[in-house]
Structures are given as structure tokens and as C-alpha cells.
Amino acid sequence: MSIHTLSLSLLAATTAVVAQTIIPLTQRIFPYANIPYQVDTDPTGRGPQSGYNICNSTTEGPNSQCQTALINNIADFCVWGPATFNSTIGDTEAASVAWCSKPGHGSRVMTSGTLTGVQFLKAPAYVQVTGLINQVNINIAADDGGGELDPHGADERGNPLGALVYTNAFPSNNGNNNTYQQVIQWHNFMGSDVFCFKACDPAVATSAQYCNNLFDRIGCSYVAPASYAPNEYTVCDSDNQDPPGVYTNSAGVVTTYTQPPESLGPISTLPYVAKIPATSNCVTFQSAQLYASESSASSSTSSVKSTSAKSTTSVTGKSGSGSGSPTSTSTSKSSSAARPIRSSPFYGAGTGMFIAVSVSVMAGLGAVVVIL
Ligand SMILES: *[C@@H]1O[C@H](CO)[C@@H](O)[C@H](O)[C@H]1NC(C)=O
Ligand SMILES: *[C@@H]1O[C@H](CO)[C@@H](O)[C@H](O)[C@H]1NC(C)=O
Ligand SMILES: *[C@@H]1O[C@H](CO)[C@@H](O)[C@H](O)[C@H]1NC(C)=O
């Protein structure tokens, strides 16, 4: 055996060993009390993870590299965002960190005025938080159309790498705020001052379909249809949405949309609009009740209402690389509810062109206004 052959053999053996050590992130299960310092320590490929999973009072603050996120209730949740000011999601998704709505999780904490409209939905198969966000406050470049964070990626190591998500909001938790269950399947879209974060309940056998990661280019209005209303803060019970990509066409046939590969260029049309699931028992809050530092949510004498299923509509546009804003005028803040979400570069070469989806929610018989 020549030295050359030997080294090739060693290389092959090393590669084989390394490949065996990569466990998909969705198979890394840890009780909340037994979280490792780092979930993903493998230095090969995209690793190791940039931050850590044990987050506490010593890590909390503007330099936190916490990569464990909570999604508990409208007052207490985190999203993923860049660690460095003025970054794009696409450039930093593997190393993004937890930005939480309140202190106590060892993370970075959103400053007052970061969240400008939030809805927390409790559906049979998942909990979901959606809304409007001043994304520059969490280090996302002002014009970034953003992208998707989820526990997958081609190498199944997740974005961020090694990220963990926990909640106390699943029904099986029986309202116990001190017990956190791990969320195995989740997705979080960030960009264009819009966010959506869905945590699928592993106790529901069919829940993972709602947290799929097949539609990273069509944005929150499609993957997490919800209200996205400015200056509204509501908690509701909700029906399950149609799984992202699934819709009922005009002939009444349940159909599944396939996102075209990015090599075919920008998505210029979508054959459907995503239906907003019906909600009930909505409780409305004031921002200050929720996000004033350390104060917790109290439902007070809030209004309760129900809504029937609503529809969204969309048009598409395009925008240059790194420029997430639609090129023409949006009529209202709510029409930014699903501004363009740029494809994660992890799923395809960035072409610099991406879909711009703008949406207005039909309120009663109100007109749908979409201008890009
Ligand atoms: C706090 O978190 C840091 C970073 O993960 C860790 O090194 C440290 O051991 C933690 N402290 C405690 C008391 O758990
Ligand atoms: C953000 O980064 C871009 C590109 O590097 C730069 O043009 C812009 O001035 C930066 N914005 C701020 C607020 O620093
Ligand atoms: C759990 O937290 C929620 C939201 O803050 C609160 O409404 C509820 O009363 C808490 N439950 C318990 C048992 O403390």
C-alpha cells in the first residue's frame, strides 16, 4: 500500500467515522433540565455550532450567544436573529441566536418597541406566534427579505446549528409554566419586518406537516397564515391551518403546491392564496401589558371575539439581492405582513431575485388591497 493509498484509506475511514457522528438535530432530545452546553460540537462541515444551549443569567444580554429558544405565550417567546448588527438572515442563519421578548432566558432581549403587532395562536397541532417586528432592533438589516430557520438544512444540523426550542404551551403541559417540553419540529421565518414561528406538538401524530420546511421562498402569509395586524396583540384558539403548500383549488380539489427550484428564477405567481384558519376566544392585550420590562401578561377585561376563516391574497414582485422591500409602494402596514422571504442560500444558490408577497387580510366584506 503506497503512502498515497494509505492516506486515502485513512481519509475514507475518517470521513466514515465523522459521518456516523452526525445525528440529525430532530433526533437530539434533551429534557429541559439536562441541556448540554452545546448540542452540535462536530467541527466538520458547517460545525461546530457558533453559540451554546445552556443559557442563564450570566449569558443574558446583548452579547448572548444563546441558541435555545422558548415559545411560551404572547408575552414570552423568542425568535432567531443575527448575532451581529446589520446582518442578513441568509448570511447568518447557521449562527443566529435567540432574541426573546422578555428577560429570563439567558438570551438577547428585545428592546421596547421591537414588536409592533403580535398574535399567539393555540391550535390542536401547534402553537404559533406571528407578527410585525422592527427587525433592525434584532440585528437584521433593514432591507433584508430574510428567510427560514428550522431544525433541518441539507445536513440536518439545523439553522441555527444545534438550535433547541422548548415550550410550556402544549396542552399536555396542563398550564404548568415551570415545565418545558422540547419542540422537535418548528419553523421560524424572519424578514421584511415580519416574523412567524410555529412549534408543532410532538404529542399530535400528524403535527409535523404543519412545520414542514419545503416552502422557504413563499413567506409567512403562506406558511403561517394569521392576522399580522399592526398594533394588535391577541391570543386566540385556532383551527389547524392547511399544511403549508396544501390548498383547495377552485374545483374543490385538495392540491399541494410545489415550490419551483430557484434555478428557474423568481416565483412570479402562486396558484392559490393561503386560508387563515378560523380563530376563537381571542383575548386582546395592550403592548405595555406584554412587553414592559419584567411585567407579565394579564388578560384584564380584554375583549373576546371569534373570527371565521379569512383569506389572504397575494401578488408577486421581485427585488434585488439584499433588498427585501417591494420595489413599489405598499398601501398599509398590514400589507407588509408577508413581504418577501428570500430563499435560504442553504437551499439553493442565491440568484438575487426572490418572490415578493404582499397581503392584506380581508376583513368581513372589505376589499383586498395589494399593491407592489
Ligand atoms: C451559564 O451558562 C454558561 C454558558 O452556557 C455556562 O458556561 C455556565 O456553566 C452556566 N452557569 C450555570 C450556573 O449553569
Ligand atoms: C448595513 O450594511 C449595508 C451593506 O454593508 C450598508 O450599506 C449600510 O449602510 C449598513 N447600515 C447600517 C445602518 O449600518
Ligand atoms: C402561565 O403563564 C400564563 C401567561 O403568563 C398565565 O396566564 C397563567 O396564569 C400561568 N399559569 C400558571 C399556572 O401560573
Side-chain angles (χ1 to χ4, degrees):
M1 183 181 281
S2 71
I3 288 177
H4 181 66
T5 310
L6 176 64
S7 54
L8 279 181
S9 304
L10 281 174
L11 181 63
T14 307
T15 305
V17 167
V18 167
Q20 283 171 2
T21 67
I22 293 192
I23 300 167
L25 181 55
T26 53
Q27 294 173 24
R28 308 261 192 163
I29 310 301
F30 306 100
Y32 188 72
N34 197 24
I35 292 175
Y37 174 70
Q38 276 185 320
V39 165
D40 191 333
T41 55
D42 192 315
T44 65
R46 297 192 300 146
Q49 82 182 82
S50 58
Y52 40 76
N53 299 99
I54 294 178
C55 311
N56 53 42
S57 58
T58 66
T59 65
E60 186 157 294
N63 298 316
S64 177
Q65 299 290 338
C66 175
Q67 292 177 317
T68 297
L70 282 299
I71 174 170
N72 290 332
N73 56 62
I74 190 172
D76 183 11
F77 67 92
C78 314
V79 297
W80 301 113
T84 306
F85 180 67
N86 195 23
S87 300
T88 67
I89 293 290
D91 286 346
T92 60
E93 58 184 358
S96 50
V97 297
W99 286 87
C100 301
S101 62
K102 60 182 271 186
H105 300 310
S107 70
R108 303 188 187 210
V109 182
M110 296 177 194
T111 53
S112 176
T114 298
L115 297 163
T116 61
V118 182
Q119 184 174 47
F120 192 90
L121 297 184
K122 292 177 276 189
Y126 56 86
V127 297
Q128 172 182 286
V129 62
T130 58
L132 308 178
I133 185 167
N134 283 318
Q135 67 184 24
V136 295
N137 290 10
I138 62 164
N139 286 349
I140 304 175
D143 61 358
D144 184 28
E148 176 178 355
L149 297 307
D150 61 55
H152 298 282
D155 58 5
E156 292 293 340
R157 296 170 74 174
N159 284 302
L161 226 73
L164 296 179
V165 178
Y166 290 81
T167 184
N168 62 19
F170 290 147
S172 53
N173 223 39
N174 294 318
N176 184 343
N177 289 340
N178 298 317
T179 304
Y180 295 109
Q181 294 172 266
Q182 188 174 354
V183 181
I184 311 301
Q185 298 287 354
W186 50 268
H187 57 207
N188 173 207
F189 287 67
M190 302 300 302
S192 298
D193 284 345
V194 176
F195 72 95
C196 49
F197 196 157
K198 189 186 299 142
C200 287
D201 187 345
V204 178
T206 58
S207 71
Q209 64 185 318
Y210 301 102
C211 286
N212 65 26
N213 63 322
L214 303 172
F215 301 101
D216 59 332
R217 297 169 66 199
I218 59 177
C220 285
S221 68
Y222 280 88
V223 300
S227 93
Y228 299 97
N231 304 312
E232 277 187 25
Y233 301 86
T234 55
V235 176
C236 305
D237 294 330
S238 172
D239 289 354
N240 287 331
Q241 66 172 95
D242 293 330
V246 174
Y247 64 101
T248 302
N249 71 15
S250 54
V253 178
V254 175
T255 308
T256 302
Y257 172 70
T258 303
Q259 179 179 281
E262 208 163 347
S263 58
L264 296 184
I267 299 170
S268 56
T269 58
L270 276 140
Y272 72 109
V273 295
K275 186 180 72 180
I276 298 179
T279 57
S280 58
N281 302 320
C282 293
V283 180
T284 301
F285 297 89
Q286 299 301 313
S287 172
Q289 290 175 282
L290 303 172
Y291 308 120
S293 74
E294 316 273 18
S295 79
S296 60
S298 67
S299 58
S300 71
T301 54
S302 307
S303 60
V304 176
K305 64 176 180 176
S306 296
T307 60
S308 56
K310 292 190 258 180
S311 293
T312 63
T313 189
S314 69
V315 295
T316 56
K318 63 184 183 180
S319 190
S321 179
S323 170
S325 299
T327 49
S328 55
T329 321
S330 286
T331 51
S332 70
K333 181 78 176 183
S334 69
S335 70
S336 75
R339 277 188 194 161
I341 295 292
R342 194 183 71 185
S343 173
S344 148
F346 203 66
Y347 289 86
T351 61
M353 307 295 280
F354 56 90
I355 184 173
V357 179
S358 187
V359 60
S360 280
V361 174
M362 274 196 284
L365 297 176
V368 173
V369 179
V370 179
I371 300 175
L372 280 179

